[in-house]
Amino acid sequence: MSRDKIVAGNWKMNNDSNQTKTLILELKKTMQMEANVMIAPSFTNLSIAKDLLLGSKIEVIAQNMHFSDSGAFTGEVSANMLKSIGIETVILGHSERRKYFNETDDQLKLKVDSAISSSMKIIFCIGEEIGERKNNNHFEIIYDQINNSLFHLDKDSWSRIILAYEPVWAIGTGETATLDQIQEMHSMIRKNISERYTQELANSISILYGGSVKPSNSHDIFSLEDVDGGLIGGASLNANDFNQIINSI
Ligand code: 13P
């Protein structure tokens, strides 16, 4: 079964409006796409990015959203607001959101439900800390993250879910998980989904890897059986590196 190949750039809190314009123009100039390509600028630059990419196949996505439609939540942005500027996909559950903004599995479940009821797609991030891997708890941690925020969904809703396995210890550290560690976790995730739903559903879900992906390792990572692309942080801020990663799929 062929799954969607996706390369998504998570810009995190980088690039002001001028830098956003410059990077997008560079990307447009050189990009040839086999994969579905997404970029996630900050909220303030989503509209700028959408305008610059009008008619392009590069999808502009959001890094986060609140679970309510509207209301007294100072500083937050809702699914409706994102949809109203043409954003169809949101990253949820990134480890930086979990760690620095105390997002819990229960809150993420509410966000997932809100995104799905707004007909959005979700890149849902999961990943273990280094201590959890050292204690050999990594499979359990990942299972719990998926179970607590996603396993209440019905089968149809899963057509809106893309998973991103991002071991926390590999994010921004230059230390990539080994190919064995990546394949082992991705196939375990697929097995968990097949046991909760069906093998067919499990085979249809794109599972991305994230954590220090760069041009020198992306081809090997993307060639793994259960890897369907990547969620790229640092290397997505450089047009040349991001293009090389996209072309390696
Ligand atoms: P790096 O590619 O910088 O390690 O970041 C990965 C990531 O967190 C993407 O969401």
Side-chain angles (χ1 to χ4, degrees):
M1 140 147 252
S2 76
R3 294 181 283 269
D4 285 343
K5 299 272 186 202
I6 298 163
V7 180
N10 176 9
W11 289 7
K12 308 190 180 183
M13 197 173 72
N14 293 295
N15 290 336
D16 63 19
S17 64
N18 284 329
Q19 292 163 326
T20 297
K21 282 177 202 153
T22 308
L23 181 50
I24 287 177
L25 292 178
E26 276 180 68
L27 285 174
K28 272 173 73 170
K29 238 189 323 190
T30 50
M31 192 175 286
Q32 324 154 6
M33 307 204 293
E34 288 291 324
N36 297 295
V37 176
M38 304 174 177
I39 56 167
S42 59
F43 285 133
T44 54
N45 292 314
L46 289 174
S47 287
I48 293 169
K50 285 287 294 180
D51 288 348
L52 287 170
L53 289 168
L54 210 69
S56 152
K57 275 170 64 189
I58 304 174
E59 184 182 350
V60 180
I61 70 173
Q63 297 177 19
N64 181 35
M65 52 166 249
H66 194 265
F67 49 76
S68 294
D69 287 345
S70 61
F73 298 103
T74 302
E76 294 291 326
V77 167
S78 70
N80 292 343
M81 292 172 181
L82 294 172
K83 288 279 285 193
S84 72
I85 57 162
I87 304 295
E88 302 285 342
T89 303
V90 61
I91 299 172
L92 292 178
H94 193 282
S95 60
E96 288 149 16
R97 298 292 319 166
R98 294 176 189 261
K99 186 170 166 188
Y100 303 125
F101 304 95
N102 304 316
E103 288 194 359
T104 63
D105 289 349
D106 285 344
Q107 285 168 351
L108 289 169
K109 183 178 178 186
L110 295 175
K111 291 189 178 201
V112 164
D113 289 343
S114 172
I116 288 188
S117 65
S118 295
S119 304
M120 293 184 79
K121 279 185 293 162
I122 299 162
I123 298 185
F124 192 83
C125 303
I126 49 189
E128 82 282 359
E129 305 265 357
I130 189 63
E132 293 163 340
R133 179 164 279 271
K134 284 195 172 142
N135 290 333
N136 222 18
N137 280 339
H138 45 294
F139 292 126
E140 209 178 307
I141 293 290
I142 300 303
Y143 176 82
D144 285 348
Q145 290 175 350
I146 299 174
N147 185 40
N148 293 341
S149 303
L150 296 175
F151 274 176
H152 65 290
L153 294 175
D154 60 23
K155 266 164 94 178
D156 286 349
S157 299
W158 274 84
S159 63
R160 303 195 168 279
I161 305 289
I162 298 156
L163 291 174
Y165 171 56
E166 300 202 303
V168 178
W169 46 273
I171 295 178
T173 59
E175 185 188 352
T176 318
T178 67
L179 296 177
D180 284 348
Q181 287 171 329
I182 299 171
Q183 172 53 29
E184 183 183 43
M185 184 58 86
H186 282 226
S187 81
M188 185 60 83
I189 292 167
R190 225 178 277 290
K191 183 160 172 278
N192 292 157
I193 300 171
S194 77
E195 285 169 0
R196 166 65 181 84
Y197 299 91
T198 62
Q199 188 66 52
E200 195 190 2
L201 177 70
N203 287 345
S204 71
I205 303 297
S206 294
I207 309 178
L208 317 183
Y209 169 79
S212 298
V213 177
K214 40 194 176 238
S216 58
N217 61 22
S218 57
H219 178 73
D220 289 344
I221 294 171
F222 296 164
S223 302
L224 294 168
E225 189 183 339
D226 283 296
V227 174
D228 305 299
L231 183 55
I232 322 297
S236 72
L237 299 173
N238 177 295
N240 194 28
D241 286 354
F242 194 49
N243 275 330
Q244 283 186 55
I245 292 170
I246 291 162
N247 291 333
S248 73
I249 207 159

